[in-house]
């Protein structure tokens, strides 16, 4: 009995220390993902460019046409902004739960909920980023078969900012992938640890 | 008894997903139509748009994967790898469907701010074909989601002592 507890003690301490390290790693990744998704949302929402074109000349006075490119003209970019906003809110809530929610009784559902929510948000950010990426490709190259002109040669700054938002969103996607992986590992480790404890506790 | 039920449900879900991805691929590939509008020949094929090419590639990969996994379904050693690959394939499917939906919406309604006219008035049969392929792809993504949740439930229940 004494030998068993003496053997178990350093393993227990090692287990706690690696648990702390994994907790802070996950928290750091969540902070980075929150920043990336929030940056993508903000850059896309504030993306706007106005340009004046000379369309015709009547006599000596030129006729001007002012065109504005805003993000909400394109439904795919609206979806992109909403998806990244939701992902950043999710990461913020998860950080709060991890830092402040230790006194709340989750009835054993905390780790499965976190893992499933992480996977759902992974799918959400992936869908939003891909839809916006293909719309941006359409705006950059046009489509000659459908007689759709490219717009990036006229609205260069709008396209550049959109590209920046897309890069931030893909970064958030990669981070969410890592976070999902770590959450699921935590879930599997904790449930196998629980079953180990129950098996060890039985012969008394 | 529970193991047989689990195997049957998994195989049914995988068959359904395989059928959905196969039909999405085939319907999108066979969608082409030509129309003549004021002496200009206007032909619409799926390969005119890089987004639809990506959609066909993604659904084809999911179809091939579904076929292979149907034969490997309950082997013990590759169980966990299959669960991980299921998640990856579900992600690829949702991304391809959302990208294709974005471009198809532009084709149907146009984009007045960019000066892009809708194409569906000239080639209505092509638009219907693409809509059918997108619906099949959407069903495939949903079935893969249900499959993932079920695999996770089956995989994790023996580990919970309750």
């Amino acid at each position: 009995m004494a030998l068993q507890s003496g053997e178990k003690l350093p393993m227990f301490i090692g287990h706690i220390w690696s648990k702390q390290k994994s907790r802070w790693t996950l928290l750091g990744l969540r902070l980075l993902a929150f920043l990336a998704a929030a940056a993508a949302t903000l850059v896309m929402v504030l993306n706007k460019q106005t340009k004046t074109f000379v369309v015709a000349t009547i006599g000596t006075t030129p006729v001007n046409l002012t065109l504005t490119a805003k993000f909400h003209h394109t439904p795919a970019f609206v979806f992109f902004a909403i998806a990244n906003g939701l992902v950043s809110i999710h990461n913020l809530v998860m950080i709060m739960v991890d830092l402040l929610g230790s006194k709340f009784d989750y009835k054993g559902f905390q780790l499965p909920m976190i893992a499933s929510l992480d996977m759902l948000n992974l799918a959400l950010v992936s869908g939003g980023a891909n839809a916006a990426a293909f719309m941006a490709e359409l705006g950059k190259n046009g489509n000659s078969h459908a007689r759709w002109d490219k717009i990036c040669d006229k609205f260069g700054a709008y396209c550049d900012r959109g590209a920046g938002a897309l890069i931030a969103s893909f970064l958030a996607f990669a981070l969410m992938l890592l976070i999902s992986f770590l959450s699921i590992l935590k879930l599997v480790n904790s449930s196998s640890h629980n079953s180990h404890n129950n098996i060890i506790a039985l012969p008394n | 008894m529970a193991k047989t039920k689990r195997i049957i449900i998994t195989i049914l879900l995988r068959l359904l997903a395989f059928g959905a991805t196969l039909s999405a691929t085939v319907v999108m590939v066979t969608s082409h139509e030509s129309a003549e509008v004021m002496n200009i020949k206007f032909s619409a094929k799926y390969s005119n748009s890089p987004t639809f090419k990506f959609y066909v590639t993604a659904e084809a990969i999911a179809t091939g994967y579904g076929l292979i996994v149907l034969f490997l379904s309950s082997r013990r050693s590759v169980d966990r790898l299959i669960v991980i690959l299921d998640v990856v394939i579900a992600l690829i499917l949702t991304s391809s469907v959302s990208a294709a939906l974005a471009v198809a919406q532009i084709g149907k309604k146009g984009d007045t701010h960019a000066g892009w006219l809708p194409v569906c008035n000239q080639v209505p049969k092509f638009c219907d074909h693409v809509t059918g392929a997108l619906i099949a792809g959407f069903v495939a993504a949903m079935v893969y989601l249900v499959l993932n949740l079920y695999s996770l439930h089956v995989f994790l229940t023996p580990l919970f002592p309750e």
Side-chain angles (χ1 to χ4, degrees):
Chain A
M1 194 67 177
L3 187 61
Q4 268 185 348
S5 72
E7 266 176 11
K8 265 200 199 152
L9 202 52
M11 229 168 61
F12 197 54
I13 287 184
H15 180 73
I16 280 193
W17 191 72
S18 75
K19 209 165 97 159
Q20 287 292 71
K21 193 164 86 157
S22 82
R23 180 187 177 213
W24 288 113
T25 319
L26 196 59
L27 219 51
L29 282 178
R30 278 200 199 276
L31 187 65
L32 280 177
F34 163 68
L35 288 174
T41 319
L42 278 175
V43 170
M44 184 54 86
V45 166
L46 300 172
N47 199 6
K48 183 174 135 168
Q49 191 181 3
T50 315
K51 211 159 172 186
T52 315
F53 300 98
V54 177
V55 182
T57 321
I58 301 183
T60 48
T61 51
V63 172
N64 287 340
L65 180 63
T66 312
L67 286 175
T68 319
K70 290 193 206 165
F71 87 102
H72 64 79
H73 293 334
T74 316
F77 291 155
V78 173
F79 174 52
F80 174 82
I82 293 178
N84 278 299
L86 283 176
V87 165
S88 53
I89 289 177
H90 160 83
N91 279 323
L92 193 62
V93 165
M94 287 300 161
I95 293 178
M96 296 294 176
V97 159
D98 205 6
L99 288 179
L100 305 172
S102 45
K103 296 185 184 45
F104 196 68
D105 179 26
Y106 297 101
K107 298 188 184 16
F109 275 125
Q110 181 183 18
L111 289 176
M113 273 303 274
I114 290 184
S116 348
L117 278 175
D118 275 339
M119 274 175 49
L120 284 177
N121 283 52
L122 182 64
L124 192 61
V125 77
S126 148
N130 269 290
F134 276 103
M135 277 309 298
E137 192 269 341
L138 192 61
K140 196 173 179 69
N141 296 336
N143 192 335
S144 54
H145 299 100
R147 315 269 192 281
W148 291 337
D149 296 328
K150 56 174 102 165
I151 62 169
C152 271
D153 46 358
K154 303 184 195 66
F155 291 95
Y158 177 76
C159 279
D160 287 338
R161 283 195 284 259
L166 269 176
I167 292 176
S169 177
F170 274 111
L171 198 61
F173 168 67
L175 288 167
M176 281 301 291
L177 197 59
L178 273 175
I179 290 175
S180 281
F181 183 60
L182 285 176
S183 304
I184 294 181
L185 264 185
K186 249 191 172 181
L187 176 63
V188 168
N189 279 348
S190 94
S191 42
S192 76
H193 181 69
N194 272 345
S195 68
H196 267 294
N197 266 348
N198 282 346
I199 292 174
I200 291 176
L202 271 177
N204 251 345
Chain B
M1 186 59 205
K3 195 170 153 92
T4 334
K5 188 176 93 157
R6 189 191 342 146
I7 291 180
I8 288 180
I9 290 184
T10 317
I11 288 190
L12 271 178
L13 281 175
R14 284 195 201 279
L15 266 177
L16 192 59
F18 172 69
T21 49
L22 186 64
S23 58
T25 321
V26 168
V27 169
M28 182 64 95
V29 167
T30 59
S31 69
H32 53 83
E33 188 184 344
S34 340
E36 269 212 31
V37 177
M38 298 182 296
N39 265 351
I40 309 173
K41 226 169 175 307
F42 197 75
S43 89
K45 281 195 306 182
Y46 82 97
S47 54
N48 288 345
S49 164
T51 315
F52 291 156
K53 282 196 280 199
F54 171 61
Y55 182 72
V56 164
T57 317
E59 300 280 341
I61 290 176
T63 311
Y65 168 77
L67 192 60
I68 293 178
V69 166
L70 268 180
F71 290 132
L72 285 180
S73 195
S74 47
R75 207 174 296 180
R76 194 71 203 158
S77 54
V78 290
D79 241 355
R80 297 168 190 224
L81 185 63
I82 286 182
V83 169
I84 295 176
L85 283 179
D86 266 344
V87 172
V88 170
I89 296 278
L91 273 181
I92 292 180
L93 280 181
T94 60
S95 314
S96 67
V97 162
S98 59
L101 266 174
V103 171
Q105 210 254 357
I106 294 281
K108 196 171 179 70
K109 303 251 177 78
D111 190 349
T112 50
H113 296 100
W116 293 339
L117 299 172
V119 218
C120 274
N121 304 325
Q122 279 93 9
V123 280
K125 266 196 342 166
F126 174 71
C127 275
D128 288 340
H129 241 107
V130 168
T131 311
L134 285 176
I135 291 177
F138 195 66
V139 164
M142 303 274 274
V143 170
Y144 261 102
L145 176 69
V146 170
L147 190 62
N148 277 342
L149 289 176
Y150 187 69
S151 307
L152 213 58
H153 163 75
V154 152
F155 196 62
L156 288 176
T157 314
L159 295 175
F160 285 104
E162 287 82 7

